[in-house]
Amino acid sequence: MLFITAFLLSAYFVFAAVQGDYGHFRRVQIEADEAALKQQLAQLHAERAILQNKTRRLSDSYLDLDLLDERARKVLGMARGDEIIIQ
């Protein structure tokens, strides 16, 4: 009886160590989620850097006229008289 109880307890703990909430498979899944989130974070940092650059180029202290012209055309949908528009 003692041997069966010890075997069942050890089987339970082995099962919990492998497939439980804090087991090996859960750890592998969390590490994969972490890698995906780190990649997403890197993409967001790159996107943020691009937006910060555009914001700086349109600020009062530094004005990029080409970017201003591009944004005005895109937002307002306007073109100069000597341009040909292809849609």
Coordinates of all heavy atoms in Angstrom, one line a residue:
M1 N 0.8 -1.2 0.0 CA 0.0 0.0 0.0 C 0.9 1.3 0.0 O 0.5 2.2 -0.7 CB -0.9 0.0 1.2 CG -1.9 1.0 1.2 SD -3.1 0.8 -0.1 CE -4.5 1.4 0.6
L2 N 1.9 1.2 0.8 CA 2.8 2.4 0.8 C 3.5 2.6 -0.5 O 3.7 3.7 -0.9 CB 3.9 2.1 2.0 CG 4.9 3.3 2.2 CD1 4.1 4.5 2.7 CD2 5.9 2.8 3.2
F3 N 3.9 1.5 -1.1 CA 4.6 1.6 -2.4 C 3.6 2.2 -3.5 O 4.0 3.1 -4.3 CB 5.0 0.2 -2.9 CG 5.7 0.2 -4.2 CD1 6.9 0.7 -4.4 CD2 5.0 -0.3 -5.3 CE1 7.5 0.7 -5.7 CE2 5.6 -0.3 -6.6 CZ 6.8 0.2 -6.8
I4 N 2.4 1.8 -3.5 CA 1.4 2.4 -4.5 C 1.2 3.8 -4.2 O 1.1 4.6 -5.1 CB 0.1 1.6 -4.4 CG1 0.3 0.1 -4.9 CG2 -1.0 2.2 -5.2 CD1 -0.9 -0.8 -4.7
T5 N 1.1 4.2 -3.0 CA 0.9 5.6 -2.6 C 2.1 6.5 -3.0 O 1.9 7.6 -3.6 CB 0.6 5.8 -1.1 OG1 -0.5 5.0 -0.7 CG2 0.3 7.2 -0.7
A6 N 3.3 6.0 -2.8 CA 4.5 6.7 -3.2 C 4.6 6.8 -4.7 O 5.0 7.8 -5.2 CB 5.7 6.0 -2.6
F7 N 4.2 5.7 -5.4 CA 4.3 5.8 -6.8 C 3.2 6.8 -7.4 O 3.6 7.5 -8.3 CB 4.0 4.4 -7.4 CG 3.9 4.3 -8.9 CD1 5.1 4.4 -9.6 CD2 2.7 4.2 -9.5 CE1 5.0 4.4 -11.0 CE2 2.6 4.2 -10.9 CZ 3.8 4.3 -11.7
L8 N 2.0 6.8 -6.9 CA 1.0 7.7 -7.3 C 1.4 9.2 -7.0 O 1.2 10.0 -7.9 CB -0.3 7.4 -6.7 CG -1.0 6.1 -7.2 CD1 -2.3 5.8 -6.4 CD2 -1.3 6.2 -8.7
L9 N 2.0 9.4 -5.9 CA 2.4 10.8 -5.6 C 3.6 11.2 -6.5 O 3.6 12.3 -7.0 CB 2.9 10.9 -4.1 CG 1.8 11.0 -3.1 CD1 2.4 11.0 -1.7 CD2 1.1 12.3 -3.3
S10 N 4.5 10.3 -6.7 CA 5.6 10.7 -7.6 C 5.1 10.9 -9.1 O 5.6 11.8 -9.8 CB 6.7 9.7 -7.6 OG 6.3 8.4 -8.0
A11 N 4.1 10.1 -9.5 CA 3.6 10.2 -10.8 C 2.8 11.6 -11.0 O 2.9 12.2 -12.0 CB 2.6 9.1 -11.2
Y12 N 2.1 11.9 -9.9 CA 1.4 13.2 -9.9 C 2.4 14.4 -10.0 O 2.2 15.3 -10.8 CB 0.6 13.4 -8.6 CG 0.1 14.8 -8.5 CD1 -1.0 15.2 -9.2 CD2 0.7 15.6 -7.6 CE1 -1.5 16.5 -9.1 CE2 0.2 16.9 -7.4 CZ -0.9 17.4 -8.2 OH -1.4 18.6 -8.0
F13 N 3.5 14.3 -9.2 CA 4.5 15.4 -9.3 C 5.2 15.5 -10.6 O 5.6 16.6 -11.1 CB 5.4 15.3 -8.1 CG 4.8 15.7 -6.8 CD1 4.8 14.8 -5.7 CD2 4.2 16.9 -6.6 CE1 4.2 15.2 -4.5 CE2 3.7 17.3 -5.4 CZ 3.6 16.4 -4.4
V14 N 5.5 14.3 -11.2 CA 6.2 14.3 -12.5 C 5.2 14.9 -13.5 O 5.6 15.7 -14.4 CB 6.6 12.9 -12.9 CG1 7.0 12.8 -14.4 CG2 7.7 12.4 -12.0
F15 N 3.9 14.5 -13.5 CA 3.0 15.1 -14.4 C 2.9 16.6 -14.3 O 2.8 17.4 -15.2 CB 1.6 14.4 -14.2 CG 0.5 15.0 -15.1 CD1 0.4 14.6 -16.4 CD2 -0.4 15.9 -14.6 CE1 -0.5 15.1 -17.3 CE2 -1.4 16.4 -15.4 CZ -1.4 16.0 -16.8
A16 N 2.8 17.1 -13.0 CA 2.7 18.5 -12.8 C 4.0 19.2 -13.2 O 3.9 20.4 -13.7 CB 2.4 18.7 -11.3
A17 N 5.1 18.6 -13.1 CA 6.4 19.3 -13.5 C 6.5 19.4 -15.0 O 7.1 20.3 -15.5 CB 7.6 18.5 -13.0
V18 N 5.8 18.5 -15.7 CA 5.9 18.5 -17.2 C 4.7 19.3 -17.8 O 4.9 20.1 -18.7 CB 5.9 17.0 -17.7 CG1 5.8 17.0 -19.3 CG2 7.1 16.3 -17.3
Q19 N 3.5 19.1 -17.3 CA 2.3 19.7 -18.0 C 1.5 20.6 -17.1 O 0.5 21.1 -17.5 CB 1.4 18.6 -18.5 CG 2.0 17.9 -19.7 CD 1.0 17.0 -20.4 OE1 -0.2 16.8 -19.9 NE2 1.3 16.4 -21.5
G20 N 1.9 20.9 -15.9 CA 1.2 21.7 -15.0 C 1.3 23.2 -15.4 O 1.9 23.6 -16.4
D21 N 0.7 24.1 -14.6 CA 0.7 25.5 -14.8 C 2.1 26.1 -14.8 O 2.3 27.1 -15.5 CB -0.2 26.2 -13.8 CG -1.7 25.9 -13.9 OD1 -2.1 25.5 -15.0 OD2 -2.4 26.1 -12.9
Y22 N 3.0 25.5 -14.1 CA 4.3 26.0 -14.0 C 5.3 24.9 -14.6 O 6.5 24.9 -14.2 CB 4.7 26.3 -12.6 CG 3.8 27.4 -12.0 CD1 2.8 27.0 -11.1 CD2 3.9 28.7 -12.3 CE1 1.9 28.0 -10.6 CE2 3.1 29.6 -11.8 CZ 2.1 29.3 -10.9 OH 1.3 30.2 -10.4
G23 N 4.8 24.0 -15.4 CA 5.6 22.9 -15.9 C 6.5 23.3 -17.1 O 6.5 24.5 -17.6
H24 N 7.1 22.3 -17.6 CA 8.1 22.5 -18.7 C 7.4 23.0 -20.0 O 7.9 23.9 -20.7 CB 8.8 21.2 -19.0 CG 9.8 21.3 -20.1 ND1 11.0 22.0 -20.0 CD2 9.8 20.8 -21.4 CE1 11.6 22.0 -21.1 NE2 10.9 21.2 -22.0
F25 N 6.3 22.4 -20.4 CA 5.6 22.8 -21.6 C 5.1 24.3 -21.5 O 5.1 25.0 -22.5 CB 4.4 21.9 -21.9 CG 4.9 20.5 -22.4 CD1 4.1 19.4 -22.0 CD2 6.0 20.3 -23.2 CE1 4.5 18.1 -22.4 CE2 6.4 19.1 -23.6 CZ 5.7 18.0 -23.2
R26 N 4.6 24.6 -20.4 CA 4.1 26.0 -20.2 C 5.3 27.0 -20.3 O 5.2 28.1 -20.8 CB 3.5 26.1 -18.8 CG 3.0 27.5 -18.5 CD 1.8 27.9 -19.3 NE 1.3 29.2 -18.9 CZ 0.8 30.1 -19.7 NH1 0.6 29.8 -20.9 NH2 0.4 31.3 -19.2
R27 N 6.5 26.6 -19.8 CA 7.7 27.4 -19.8 C 8.1 27.6 -21.3 O 8.4 28.7 -21.7 CB 8.8 26.8 -19.0 CG 10.0 27.6 -19.0 CD 11.1 27.0 -18.1 NE 12.4 27.5 -18.5 CZ 13.4 26.7 -18.7 NH1 13.4 25.4 -18.5 NH2 14.6 27.2 -19.1
V28 N 8.0 26.6 -22.1 CA 8.4 26.7 -23.5 C 7.4 27.6 -24.2 O 7.8 28.4 -25.0 CB 8.4 25.3 -24.1 CG1 8.5 25.4 -25.7 CG2 9.6 24.4 -23.6
Q29 N 6.1 27.5 -23.9 CA 5.1 28.4 -24.5 C 5.4 29.8 -24.1 O 5.3 30.7 -25.0 CB 3.7 27.9 -24.1 CG 2.6 28.7 -24.7 CD 1.3 28.3 -24.2 OE1 1.1 27.6 -23.2 NE2 0.2 28.8 -24.8
I30 N 5.7 30.1 -22.9 CA 5.9 31.5 -22.4 C 7.2 32.0 -23.1 O 7.2 33.2 -23.5 CB 6.1 31.5 -20.9 CG1 4.7 31.3 -20.2 CG2 6.7 32.8 -20.4 CD1 4.7 31.1 -18.7
E31 N 8.2 31.2 -23.3 CA 9.4 31.7 -24.0 C 9.1 32.0 -25.4 O 9.7 33.0 -26.0 CB 10.5 30.7 -23.8 CG 11.1 30.6 -22.4 CD 12.1 29.4 -22.3 OE1 12.3 28.6 -23.2 OE2 12.7 29.4 -21.2
A32 N 8.3 31.2 -26.1 CA 7.9 31.5 -27.5 C 7.1 32.8 -27.5 O 7.3 33.7 -28.4 CB 7.1 30.4 -28.0
D33 N 6.2 33.0 -26.6 CA 5.4 34.3 -26.5 C 6.3 35.5 -26.3 O 6.1 36.5 -26.9 CB 4.3 34.2 -25.4 CG 3.2 33.2 -25.7 OD1 3.1 32.8 -26.9 OD2 2.5 32.9 -24.8
E34 N 7.3 35.3 -25.4 CA 8.3 36.3 -25.1 C 9.1 36.7 -26.4 O 9.2 37.9 -26.7 CB 9.2 35.9 -24.0 CG 10.3 36.9 -23.7 CD 11.3 36.4 -22.7 OE1 11.4 35.2 -22.5 OE2 12.1 37.2 -22.2
A35 N 9.5 35.8 -27.2 CA 10.2 36.0 -28.4 C 9.4 36.8 -29.4 O 9.8 37.8 -30.0 CB 10.7 34.8 -29.0
A36 N 8.1 36.4 -29.5 CA 7.2 37.1 -30.4 C 6.9 38.5 -30.0 O 6.9 39.5 -30.8 CB 5.9 36.3 -30.5
L37 N 6.8 38.7 -28.7 CA 6.5 40.1 -28.1 C 7.8 40.9 -28.3 O 7.7 42.1 -28.5 CB 6.1 40.0 -26.7 CG 4.7 39.4 -26.5 CD1 4.4 39.2 -25.0 CD2 3.6 40.4 -27.1
K38 N 9.0 40.4 -28.1 CA 10.2 41.1 -28.3 C 10.3 41.6 -29.8 O 10.7 42.7 -30.1 CB 11.4 40.3 -27.9 CG 11.6 40.3 -26.4 CD 12.9 39.5 -26.1 CE 13.1 39.5 -24.6 NZ 14.3 38.8 -24.2
Q39 N 9.9 40.7 -30.7 CA 10.0 41.1 -32.1 C 9.0 42.2 -32.4 O 9.3 43.2 -33.1 CB 9.7 39.9 -33.0 CG 9.7 40.2 -34.5 CD 9.4 38.9 -35.3 OE1 9.0 37.9 -34.8 NE2 9.6 39.0 -36.6
Q40 N 7.8 42.1 -31.8 CA 6.8 43.1 -32.0 C 7.2 44.5 -31.4 O 7.0 45.5 -32.0 CB 5.4 42.7 -31.4 CG 4.3 43.7 -31.6 CD 3.0 43.2 -30.9 OE1 3.0 42.2 -30.2 NE2 2.0 43.9 -31.1
L41 N 7.9 44.4 -30.3 CA 8.4 45.6 -29.6 C 9.5 46.2 -30.5 O 9.5 47.5 -30.6 CB 9.0 45.2 -28.3 CG 9.6 46.4 -27.5 CD1 8.5 47.4 -27.1 CD2 10.3 45.9 -26.2
A42 N 10.3 45.5 -31.1 CA 11.4 46.0 -32.0 C 10.7 46.7 -33.2 O 11.1 47.8 -33.6 CB 12.3 44.9 -32.5
Q43 N 9.6 46.1 -33.8 CA 8.9 46.7 -34.9 C 8.3 48.1 -34.4 O 8.3 49.1 -35.2 CB 7.9 45.8 -35.4 CG 8.4 44.6 -36.2 CD 7.3 43.7 -36.6 OE1 6.2 43.6 -36.0 NE2 7.6 42.9 -37.6
L44 N 7.7 48.1 -33.2 CA 7.1 49.3 -32.7 C 8.1 50.4 -32.5 O 7.9 51.6 -32.7 CB 6.3 49.0 -31.5 CG 5.0 48.2 -31.7 CD1 4.4 47.8 -30.3 CD2 4.0 49.0 -32.5
H45 N 9.3 50.0 -32.0 CA 10.4 51.0 -31.8 C 10.8 51.6 -33.1 O 11.0 52.8 -33.2 CB 11.6 50.4 -31.1 CG 11.4 50.3 -29.6 ND1 11.2 51.3 -28.8 CD2 11.5 49.2 -28.8 CE1 11.1 51.0 -27.5 NE2 11.3 49.6 -27.5
A46 N 10.9 50.8 -34.2 CA 11.3 51.3 -35.5 C 10.2 52.2 -36.0 O 10.5 53.3 -36.6 CB 11.5 50.1 -36.4
E47 N 9.0 51.8 -35.9 CA 7.9 52.7 -36.3 C 7.8 54.0 -35.6 O 7.6 55.1 -36.1 CB 6.5 52.0 -36.2 CG 5.4 52.7 -36.7 CD 4.1 51.9 -36.5 OE1 4.1 50.6 -36.5 OE2 3.0 52.5 -36.4
R48 N 8.1 53.9 -34.3 CA 8.1 55.1 -33.5 C 9.3 56.1 -33.9 O 9.1 57.3 -33.9 CB 8.3 54.8 -32.0 CG 8.4 56.0 -31.1 CD 8.4 55.5 -29.6 NE 8.6 56.7 -28.8 CZ 9.4 56.7 -27.7 NH1 10.1 55.7 -27.4 NH2 9.4 57.8 -27.0
A49 N 10.4 55.5 -34.2 CA 11.6 56.3 -34.7 C 11.2 57.0 -36.0 O 11.6 58.2 -36.2 CB 12.8 55.4 -34.8
I50 N 10.5 56.3 -36.9 CA 10.1 56.9 -38.1 C 9.2 58.1 -37.9 O 9.3 59.2 -38.5 CB 9.5 55.9 -39.1 CG1 10.6 54.9 -39.5 CG2 8.8 56.5 -40.3 CD1 10.0 53.7 -40.3
L51 N 8.2 57.9 -37.0 CA 7.2 58.9 -36.7 C 7.9 60.1 -36.0 O 7.5 61.3 -36.3 CB 6.1 58.4 -35.9 CG 5.2 57.4 -36.6 CD1 4.1 56.8 -35.7 CD2 4.5 58.1 -37.8
Q52 N 8.8 59.8 -35.1 CA 9.5 60.9 -34.4 C 10.4 61.7 -35.4 O 10.4 63.0 -35.3 CB 10.5 60.4 -33.4 CG 9.8 60.0 -32.1 CD 10.7 59.5 -31.0 OE1 11.8 59.0 -31.3 NE2 10.4 59.7 -29.8
N53 N 11.0 61.1 -36.4 CA 11.7 61.8 -37.4 C 10.8 62.7 -38.3 O 11.1 63.8 -38.5 CB 12.4 60.8 -38.3 CG 13.3 61.5 -39.4 OD1 13.8 62.6 -39.2 ND2 13.5 60.8 -40.5
K54 N 9.6 62.2 -38.7 CA 8.7 63.0 -39.4 C 8.2 64.2 -38.6 O 8.0 65.3 -39.1 CB 7.5 62.1 -39.9 CG 7.9 61.3 -41.1 CD 6.6 60.6 -41.6 CE 7.0 59.8 -42.9 NZ 5.8 59.1 -43.4
T55 N 7.9 63.9 -37.3 CA 7.4 65.0 -36.5 C 8.5 66.1 -36.3 O 8.2 67.3 -36.4 CB 7.1 64.4 -35.1 OG1 6.1 63.4 -35.2 CG2 6.5 65.5 -34.2
R56 N 9.7 65.7 -36.2 CA 10.8 66.6 -36.0 C 11.0 67.4 -37.3 O 11.2 68.6 -37.3 CB 12.1 65.9 -35.7 CG 13.3 66.9 -35.4 CD 14.6 66.2 -35.2 NE 15.1 65.4 -36.4 CZ 15.7 66.0 -37.4 NH1 15.9 67.3 -37.5 NH2 16.1 65.2 -38.4
R57 N 10.8 66.8 -38.5 CA 11.0 67.4 -39.7 C 9.9 68.4 -40.0 O 10.0 69.3 -40.9 CB 11.1 66.4 -40.9 CG 12.4 65.7 -40.8 CD 12.6 64.5 -41.7 NE 12.1 64.7 -43.1 CZ 11.7 63.8 -43.9 NH1 11.9 62.5 -43.6 NH2 11.3 64.1 -45.1
L58 N 8.7 68.3 -39.4 CA 7.6 69.2 -39.5 C 7.5 70.2 -38.4 O 6.5 70.9 -38.3 CB 6.3 68.4 -39.7 CG 6.1 67.6 -41.0 CD1 4.9 66.8 -41.0 CD2 6.1 68.6 -42.2
S59 N 8.4 70.2 -37.5 CA 8.3 71.1 -36.3 C 8.7 72.5 -36.7 O 9.2 72.8 -37.8 CB 9.3 70.6 -35.2 OG 10.6 70.8 -35.6
D60 N 8.5 73.4 -35.8 CA 8.8 74.9 -36.0 C 10.3 75.1 -36.1 O 10.7 76.0 -36.9 CB 8.2 75.7 -34.9 CG 6.7 75.7 -34.9 OD1 6.1 75.5 -36.0 OD2 6.1 76.0 -33.9
S61 N 11.1 74.4 -35.4 CA 12.5 74.6 -35.4 C 13.2 74.1 -36.6 O 14.3 74.6 -37.0 CB 13.1 74.0 -34.1 OG 12.9 72.6 -34.1
Y62 N 12.6 73.1 -37.3 CA 13.2 72.5 -38.5 C 12.1 72.1 -39.4 O 11.3 71.2 -39.1 CB 14.0 71.3 -38.1 CG 14.7 70.6 -39.3 CD1 15.9 71.0 -39.8 CD2 14.1 69.5 -39.8 CE1 16.4 70.4 -40.9 CE2 14.6 68.8 -40.9 CZ 15.8 69.3 -41.5 OH 16.4 68.7 -42.5
L63 N 12.0 72.8 -40.5 CA 10.9 72.5 -41.4 C 11.4 72.0 -42.8 O 12.1 72.6 -43.5 CB 10.1 73.8 -41.7 CG 8.8 73.7 -42.5 CD1 7.8 72.7 -41.9 CD2 8.1 75.0 -42.7
D64 N 11.0 70.8 -43.1 CA 11.3 70.1 -44.3 C 10.2 70.4 -45.3 O 9.1 69.9 -45.2 CB 11.5 68.6 -44.1 CG 12.0 67.9 -45.4 OD1 12.2 68.6 -46.4 OD2 12.2 66.7 -45.3
L65 N 10.5 71.3 -46.3 CA 9.5 71.8 -47.2 C 9.0 70.6 -48.1 O 7.8 70.6 -48.5 CB 10.0 72.9 -48.0 CG 10.3 74.2 -47.2 CD1 10.9 75.3 -48.1 CD2 9.0 74.7 -46.5
D66 N 9.9 69.7 -48.5 CA 9.4 68.6 -49.3 C 8.4 67.7 -48.6 O 7.4 67.3 -49.2 CB 10.6 67.7 -49.8 CG 11.5 68.5 -50.8 OD1 11.0 69.3 -51.5 OD2 12.7 68.1 -50.8
L67 N 8.7 67.4 -47.3 CA 7.8 66.6 -46.5 C 6.5 67.4 -46.3 O 5.4 66.8 -46.4 CB 8.4 66.2 -45.2 CG 7.5 65.3 -44.3 CD1 7.2 64.0 -45.0 CD2 8.2 65.1 -43.0
L68 N 6.5 68.6 -46.1 CA 5.3 69.4 -45.9 C 4.5 69.4 -47.2 O 3.3 69.3 -47.1 CB 5.7 70.9 -45.5 CG 4.5 71.8 -45.3 CD1 3.7 71.4 -44.1 CD2 5.1 73.2 -45.1
D69 N 5.2 69.6 -48.3 CA 4.5 69.5 -49.6 C 3.8 68.1 -49.8 O 2.7 68.0 -50.3 CB 5.5 69.8 -50.7 CG 4.8 69.9 -52.1 OD1 3.8 70.6 -52.2 OD2 5.3 69.2 -53.0
E70 N 4.5 67.1 -49.5 CA 4.0 65.7 -49.7 C 2.8 65.5 -48.8 O 1.8 65.0 -49.2 CB 5.1 64.7 -49.3 CG 4.6 63.3 -49.3 CD 5.7 62.4 -48.7 OE1 6.9 62.7 -48.8 OE2 5.3 61.3 -48.1
R71 N 2.9 65.9 -47.5 CA 1.7 65.7 -46.6 C 0.5 66.6 -47.0 O -0.6 66.1 -46.9 CB 2.2 66.1 -45.2 CG 3.2 65.2 -44.5 CD 2.8 63.7 -44.5 NE 1.5 63.6 -43.8 CZ 0.7 62.6 -43.9 NH1 1.0 61.6 -44.8 NH2 -0.5 62.5 -43.3
A72 N 0.8 67.8 -47.5 CA -0.3 68.7 -47.9 C -1.0 68.1 -49.1 O -2.3 68.1 -49.2 CB 0.2 70.1 -48.2
R73 N -0.3 67.5 -50.0 CA -0.9 66.9 -51.2 C -1.7 65.7 -50.8 O -2.8 65.4 -51.4 CB 0.2 66.5 -52.2 CG 0.9 67.6 -52.9 CD 2.1 67.1 -53.6 NE 2.9 68.2 -54.2 CZ 2.8 68.5 -55.5 NH1 2.0 67.8 -56.3 NH2 3.4 69.5 -56.0
K74 N -1.1 64.9 -49.9 CA -1.8 63.6 -49.5 C -3.1 63.9 -48.8 O -4.2 63.4 -49.0 CB -0.9 62.8 -48.7 CG -1.5 61.4 -48.4 CD -0.4 60.5 -47.8 CE -1.0 59.1 -47.6 NZ 0.0 58.2 -47.1
V75 N -3.0 64.9 -47.8 CA -4.2 65.2 -47.0 C -5.3 66.0 -47.8 O -6.4 65.6 -47.7 CB -3.8 66.0 -45.8 CG1 -5.0 66.5 -45.0 CG2 -2.9 65.1 -44.8
L76 N -4.8 66.9 -48.6 CA -5.8 67.8 -49.3 C -6.1 67.2 -50.6 O -7.1 67.7 -51.2 CB -5.2 69.2 -49.4 CG -4.9 69.9 -48.1 CD1 -4.3 71.3 -48.4 CD2 -6.2 70.1 -47.3
G77 N -5.4 66.3 -51.2 CA -5.6 65.7 -52.5 C -5.4 66.7 -53.6 O -6.2 66.8 -54.6
M78 N -4.4 67.6 -53.5 CA -4.2 68.7 -54.4 C -2.9 68.4 -55.2 O -2.1 67.6 -54.8 CB -4.1 70.0 -53.8 CG -5.4 70.4 -53.0 SD -5.3 72.0 -52.3 CE -5.6 73.0 -53.7
A79 N -2.8 69.0 -56.4 CA -1.6 68.9 -57.2 C -1.4 70.3 -57.9 O -2.3 71.1 -58.0 CB -1.8 67.8 -58.3
R80 N -0.2 70.5 -58.4 CA 0.1 71.7 -59.1 C -0.5 71.6 -60.5 O -0.8 70.6 -61.0 CB 1.6 71.9 -59.1 CG 2.2 72.3 -57.8 CD 3.6 72.7 -57.9 NE 4.4 71.6 -58.4 CZ 5.5 71.1 -57.8 NH1 5.9 71.6 -56.7 NH2 6.2 70.1 -58.3
G81 N -0.5 72.8 -61.2 CA -1.1 72.9 -62.5 C -0.3 72.2 -63.6 O -0.8 71.7 -64.6
D82 N 1.0 72.1 -63.3 CA 1.9 71.5 -64.4 C 2.2 70.0 -64.1 O 3.0 69.4 -64.8 CB 3.2 72.3 -64.4 CG 4.0 72.2 -63.1 OD1 3.4 71.8 -62.1 OD2 5.2 72.5 -63.1
E83 N 1.4 69.4 -63.3 CA 1.6 67.9 -63.0 C 0.6 67.1 -63.6 O -0.6 67.5 -63.8 CB 1.6 67.7 -61.5 CG 2.7 68.3 -60.7 CD 2.7 68.1 -59.2 OE1 1.6 67.8 -58.7 OE2 3.7 68.1 -58.6
I84 N 0.9 65.9 -64.0 CA 0.0 64.9 -64.5 C -0.3 63.9 -63.4 O 0.6 63.3 -62.8 CB 0.7 64.2 -65.8 CG1 1.0 65.2 -66.8 CG2 -0.3 63.1 -66.3 CD1 1.7 64.6 -68.0
I85 N -1.5 63.6 -63.2 CA -2.0 62.7 -62.1 C -2.4 61.4 -62.8 O -3.2 61.3 -63.7 CB -3.1 63.2 -61.3 CG1 -2.7 64.5 -60.7 CG2 -3.6 62.2 -60.3 CD1 -3.8 65.3 -60.0
I86 N -1.8 60.3 -62.3 CA -2.1 58.9 -62.8 C -2.7 58.2 -61.7 O -2.1 58.1 -60.6 CB -0.8 58.2 -63.3 CG1 -0.2 59.0 -64.5 CG2 -1.1 56.8 -63.8 CD1 1.1 58.5 -64.9
Q87 N -3.9 57.6 -61.9 CA -4.6 56.9 -60.9 C -4.7 55.4 -61.2 O -4.8 55.0 -62.3 CB -5.9 57.4 -60.6 CG -5.9 58.8 -60.0 CD -7.3 59.3 -59.7 OE1 -8.3 58.8 -60.1 NE2 -7.3 60.4 -58.9

